[in-house]
Amino acid sequence: MSPLNVNLADLIARLDEELPDADDLARISEAQLRALTLSDLGDQLVDHYVGKARQAGASWSEIGDAIGVSKQAAQQRHAPAPFERFTDLNRHSIVLAQEAARTHKHDLIGTEHILLGLLGEARGLAYEVLTAKTESEQRIRDAIEEAMPPAGKKALRGHIAFRSESKEAIQQALRASANLGHDWVGTEHMLLGLIRVKESTAAQILRNLGFTSDELHETVKTEVTKRFAARDKR
């Protein structure tokens, strides 16, 4: 048994089960996509513990030794980034956004992909807020798919960059968190970031579904307060 309780046989069995009618070449493409996602998650896992080590006072030299690289390489690879305060759920939604862009064979991650990533992380508050109002996850997915650009010719390998409006949405998510006095950036803040970039595809989708920026802000504020109150009663 591996440390993650995942082995190659499990991964093969799941892919074969999910793509029963696919030929070998199609399965190679899907396996490549999943391998890239696993790689992204692995990087985030390391980043998480690098952040904790830095907070505990570890030097970059010590972190470099733990990783097996030089101090300079460790510092460059794990320098503070916009995702540093992102929760694990929100980081996973970003991974899902990248996977969505790759699946649709798009060469950039748009706000529509980020919205799809939030919808794919059902444990996040953004998912609860989205589905509570629309009463249908499929309705949201249909709206996103309808707004998606045409598929490209070939799925990209490796890292996929963000569109300019997606970068702005991430910055708006950071601001939303700060405005609410939160020390984390969750899926709920990412949702606020998306609708605040008014001309973005995601903002248009959300408005068409009946959301407004002010309403979302108040909903997030209320729901976070409720969660803290419920936790304090335990």
Side-chain angles (χ1 to χ4, degrees):
M1 182 177 294
S2 72
L4 297 179
N5 197 26
V6 174
N7 57 50
L8 178 60
D10 290 336
L11 294 174
I12 293 173
R14 181 169 178 179
L15 194 154
D16 288 345
E17 179 182 350
E18 294 178 3
L19 300 175
D21 300 323
D23 60 23
D24 289 337
L25 293 177
R27 294 187 186 196
I28 289 174
S29 297
E30 180 63 22
Q32 176 66 18
L33 294 176
R34 298 188 185 197
L36 291 169
T37 299
L38 288 170
S39 177
D40 288 336
L41 288 172
D43 287 343
Q44 290 184 23
L45 178 65
V46 175
D47 287 344
H48 171 77
Y49 285 104
V50 167
K52 290 179 72 69
R54 287 293 293 167
Q55 291 174 4
S59 69
W60 282 112
S61 293
E62 291 171 323
I63 291 172
D65 289 341
I67 297 174
V69 299
S70 68
K71 167 188 173 181
Q72 292 76 13
Q75 192 168 10
Q76 183 176 7
R77 168 64 181 82
H78 300 280
F83 304 114
E84 186 176 28
R85 292 194 297 117
F86 274 38
T87 63
D88 289 344
L89 296 184
N90 202 13
R91 290 187 182 195
H92 184 228
S93 76
I94 294 296
V95 172
L96 294 177
Q98 179 171 268
E99 187 173 351
R102 186 173 285 113
T103 299
H104 286 81
K105 300 180 181 179
H106 296 155
D107 55 3
L108 292 169
I109 300 173
T111 57
E112 63 274 18
H113 302 115
I114 295 177
L115 183 57
L116 197 58
L118 292 176
L119 198 61
E121 182 43 84
R123 298 169 296 173
L125 180 53
Y127 177 89
E128 293 186 18
V129 171
L130 287 167
T131 55
K133 183 176 181 66
T134 61
E135 299 182 344
S136 170
E137 176 184 334
Q138 191 59 48
R139 180 187 173 197
I140 306 170
R141 288 189 177 278
D142 290 344
I144 297 172
E145 289 297 332
E146 185 176 346
M148 279 282 182
K153 295 182 179 180
K154 186 177 180 180
L156 295 183
R157 296 185 177 184
H159 176 72
I160 301 178
F162 291 96
R163 288 188 180 278
S164 58
E165 61 266 27
S166 297
K167 294 178 182 178
E168 183 180 351
I170 291 169
Q171 292 301 318
Q172 289 291 345
L174 295 170
R175 294 191 186 100
S177 172
N179 291 341
L180 288 166
H182 299 160
D183 59 2
W184 74 93
V185 183
T187 60
E188 64 275 18
H189 304 112
M190 194 66 248
L191 183 59
L192 290 174
L194 289 175
I195 200 169
R196 290 182 179 185
V197 185
K198 296 181 180 180
E199 300 305 316
S200 70
T201 300
Q204 295 173 24
I205 293 170
L206 291 169
R207 287 195 298 269
N208 290 340
L209 290 169
F211 291 96
T212 67
S213 182
D214 289 342
E215 176 198 20
L216 270 180
H217 178 90
E218 290 304 314
T219 299
V220 167
K221 183 178 179 180
T222 299
E223 290 302 318
V224 170
T225 301
K226 285 181 180 178
R227 288 192 172 194
F228 273 103
R231 188 184 67 178
D232 292 340
K233 291 180 180 179
R234 293 176 184 173

